[in-house]
Amino acid sequence: MTLPAPGRRAFGTACALSAAVVFAPAVMRTRPGAAGLGRVTVAVGGQGVLYHLPLALADCLGYFRAEGLEVVVRDFSAGAQARQAVLRGAADVYSGAFEHIFRAQASGQACRALVLQGRAPQLALGVSLRALPGYRDPGDLAGRHIGVSSIGSSTHLAASLLLLRSGVALRHVAFVGVGSGAQALAALRSGQVQALCHADPIMTLLEQRQDTRIIGELRSLKAAQDMFGASMPAGSLCAPQAFIEQQPAQAQALVNGIVHALKWLHTAAPADLVKAVPAAYLLGDQGLYLAAFSRVRETYSTHGLMPDDGPATALRVLTHVQPQWAGAKLDPECAYTNEFVHRARQKYDV
């Protein structure tokens, strides 16, 4: 399905601000030993999912610390909540879906993506085999509850898009925010929801344990290309314009760490990966985690740059699924900067 393109709109004076794109700190996990640039708090929705793996690796491998930066990661149950934490001043930057930038723009907040982590949504929609053992086609979901991490999250957008493509009107289903990780698993297995849209390794776990049947797929570059017809930016590290202007050295250090992690990720052996990430991320099954990683590995950015057509594609998807955004003052060219990534690539020969 190739989605219709909206008309271009200006986003006030945000584009006139010189460089590229929060507020104050909170607490979750900190790594000691940083010196020079101080502390930056990163909000993330579902810290242990593969969607945020480059951020996790930059932290766990000490790449942020090597840049002189102390990073505190604050975990939330959904990306939409991580974005809101930044906008209310509870974190400095956030790791989440690129399209959240447009939601921030619509509320009058000038934000930009600093570095691209994922070039496909890495999400899948699965139907509970316990709740719907006789499932035949997406029409069977009419009147059912669909689990997403939160309303307004990337899982909500992806589930809506997958259902629309299958001919299911969104008014015929009910979306339920179920968080991430163990919360999402419990919601599906308890029957609170009859289908779930989520990231890996959760969806691979549910599939391998025969809890779900996958009916919508966005975990590969081909699936994303088939769905969007163009580059669709996904996981990104994003910050308000004020943070970029006031703390450019910290912004550069963050991007350096992510680009360094992306370089490591594309050459690492599976054994290296399971040693690098916290044991809790493996869900007690290294083989399952690595199977999920193999499924999505190609979707990680190789260099961190935003593709030229990516922001417009993301805006087109958002306004197609949620037409109420079409009237907002949204501008894809004000939604990102590649400035920091260019410098990081030079530093790490990426």
Side-chain angles (χ1 to χ4, degrees), residues 161-246:
L161 192 62
L162 290 165
L163 290 172
L164 286 172
R165 190 185 191 192
S166 299
V168 178
L170 301 186
R171 67 180 182 276
H172 292 158
V173 300
F175 291 103
V176 179
V178 296
S180 61
Q183 292 174 291
L185 288 171
L188 184 82
R189 288 171 169 167
S190 68
Q192 179 186 349
V193 296
Q194 291 77 55
L196 177 69
C197 187
H198 210 291
D200 270 325
I202 298 299
M203 296 310 294
T204 292
L205 183 152
L206 289 169
E207 190 177 15
Q208 287 193 1
R209 307 250 170 110
Q210 298 186 340
D211 286 310
T212 64
R213 172 182 169 183
I214 301 299
I215 64 167
E217 184 68 77
L218 289 172
R219 291 180 292 181
S220 70
L221 290 178
K222 183 180 184 304
Q225 180 66 32
D226 290 347
M227 174 66 78
F228 307 114
S231 300
M232 178 62 176
S236 306
L237 194 68
C238 307
Q241 184 75 37
F243 177 85
I244 292 179
E245 294 178 346
Q246 296 166 14

Side-chain angles (χ1 to χ4, degrees), residues 10 12 24 27 42 50 66 84 110 151 218 265 270 272-273 296 309 312 326:
V27 186
V42 180
L50 287 166
Q84 290 163 3
I151 303 303
L218 289 172
L265 184 59
D272 297 326
L273 179 63
V296 302
D309 59 346

Side-chain angles (χ1 to χ4, degrees), residues 2-9 228 230 309 311-320 326 332:
T2 300
L3 300 170
R8 179 178 170 179
R9 298 168 179 83
F228 307 114
D309 59 346
T313 302
L315 180 56
R316 187 166 70 247
V317 171
L318 182 64
T319 54
H320 174 70

